[in-house]
Amino acid sequence: MPLPPHELERLRRAVAGRSAASLVLDPSLTSEEQDRLDEVVARREAGEPLQYLEGTVDFGPLTLKIDRRALIPRPETERLWEEAVRSLGQAGPGTVIVDLGTGSGCLALALKHAFPDARVFATDTSEEALALAAENAALTGLEVAFLHGDLFAPLPRDLGGRIDLVVSNPPYVADGDALPAEVRDHEPHRALFAGPRGTEVLARIAEEAYWRVGVGGWVLCEIGDGQAAEALDLFNAYDREVRRDLTGSDRILVARKGASCCL
Ligand SMILES: C[S@@+](CC[C@H](N)C(=O)[O-])C[C@H]1O[C@@H](n2cnc3c(N)ncnc32)[C@H](O)[C@@H]1O
């Protein structure tokens, strides 16, 4: 099936490295650009995600590099970022923010952009994803400490009990659940699958975050469709609620340690 015209236009812009306006004024491509366009159109028609072929993705205020090393940032994760910014409100030099499973670095970098004085740490078990996140830090000029390892394990010990905000878009697909072919065949499986239930990583975050955030500290996580009741149960030691994404689905768990006044 031929590509929809808007996708073809996006790929033309990416290949030519020019704006839409410039391509309207002069639509011609060099022969190398045309060859490259033919190649990416064929790959798109074979099911490769558009953003991997474009090589960039917009996330909140940032334009980031993206490729197969990390999950493509999604609009529901931008919503998580917005909720995190709203929850934290303000941040000074003593404020500590942690992003677990940072992937491309989208949440950590967008939070550093919103709170330039805060110290932002981000972890991931994928060295490849962390390499991409570091490239995105260089691209945006934002300073985040990207650390390799499991959830909180690589963080400096002196942060224990002093974290103000934890965000995470953890893997939350149950092993064996069906995914669209475009996702299943091209995005990293370790970013998607969490275990037999799908909530295994979320459960660990609920438990491990409790002793690391300060009183009044926030934990915000993206969750899968149908996981709201279990997420509320997992976070029963916190004041918590589940908020909706733009399509009206319950997708954002907002939890706060010991401050029922302010959710
Ligand atoms: C759903 S992706 C989210 C990536 C990025 N935060 C985003 O929203 O686009 C989950 C990420 O968590 C990482 N991950 C999986 N298990 C992890 C663990 N135990 N500790 C740290 N990172 C983990 C994966 O490598 C992947 O980059």
Side-chain angles (χ1 to χ4, degrees):
M1 235 192 13
L3 286 193
H6 73 278
E7 289 202 7
L8 185 57
E9 264 324 292
R10 281 172 60 170
L11 290 174
R12 278 169 64 79
R13 287 205 292 275
V15 160
R18 287 158 56 196
S19 68
S22 147
L23 277 170
V24 168
L25 290 175
D26 175 11
S28 61
L29 298 180
T30 66
S31 61
E32 290 82 21
E33 287 168 347
Q34 187 60 54
D35 288 348
R36 171 93 183 116
L37 182 61
D38 293 343
E39 182 213 321
V40 294
V41 166
R43 285 167 58 187
R44 178 69 189 129
E45 284 172 350
E48 238 176 279
L50 186 61
Q51 293 89 339
Y52 283 162
L53 295 170
E54 292 181 296
T56 60
V57 64
D58 290 334
F59 187 86
L62 306 175
T63 298
L64 301 173
K65 183 172 170 182
I66 192 70
D67 58 38
R68 294 182 68 132
R69 289 176 289 177
L71 191 91
I72 298 165
R74 306 292 207 271
E76 47 270 40
T77 313
E78 279 185 298
R79 174 103 175 86
L80 171 64
W81 168 73
E82 286 167 6
E83 289 290 342
V85 170
R86 197 149 65 92
S87 297
L88 191 61
Q90 56 187 1
T95 303
V96 177
I97 297 173
V98 173
D99 173 23
L100 303 171
T102 195
S104 61
C106 56
L107 279 168
L109 291 165
L111 284 165
K112 181 67 180 178
H113 184 274
F115 301 114
D117 293 333
R119 295 165 69 200
V120 181
F121 299 84
T123 70
D124 207 292
T125 46
S126 163
E127 304 247 31
E128 286 189 318
L130 289 169
L132 176 62
E135 288 167 30
N136 278 323
L139 186 70
T140 54
L142 294 163
E143 195 185 328
V144 167
F146 289 109
L147 306 168
H148 178 240
D150 178 46
L151 297 184
F152 292 95
L155 294 175
R157 295 247 169 267
D158 66 346
L159 293 187
R162 296 187 39 223
I163 299 174
D164 299 285
L165 168 67
V166 174
V167 292
S168 185
N169 173 20
Y172 54 68
V173 180
D175 296 348
D177 272 6
L179 287 173
E182 188 170 323
V183 176
R184 183 197 64 218
D185 296 344
H186 297 280
E187 297 198 71
H189 282 195
R190 72 162 97 186
L192 297 164
F193 294 102
R197 296 183 62 80
T199 47
E200 286 81 353
V201 183
L202 188 71
R204 287 189 52 210
I205 293 171
E207 192 179 328
E208 295 180 29
Y210 194 79
W211 305 108
R212 289 173 170 89
V213 296
V215 173
W218 298 89
V219 184
L220 281 84
C221 296
E222 188 172 320
I223 59 173
D225 269 333
Q227 293 178 345
E230 189 173 348
L232 288 170
D233 198 35
L234 290 170
F235 280 81
N236 64 5
Y238 304 73
D239 304 310
R240 80 281 189 219
E241 65 188 34
V242 171
R243 296 188 188 154
R244 298 198 160 143
D245 69 7
L246 296 173
T247 67
S249 303
D250 287 333
R251 298 297 298 278
I252 298 158
L253 184 280
V254 180
R256 195 170 200 203
K257 178 172 166 179
S260 54
C261 58
C262 309
L263 247 190

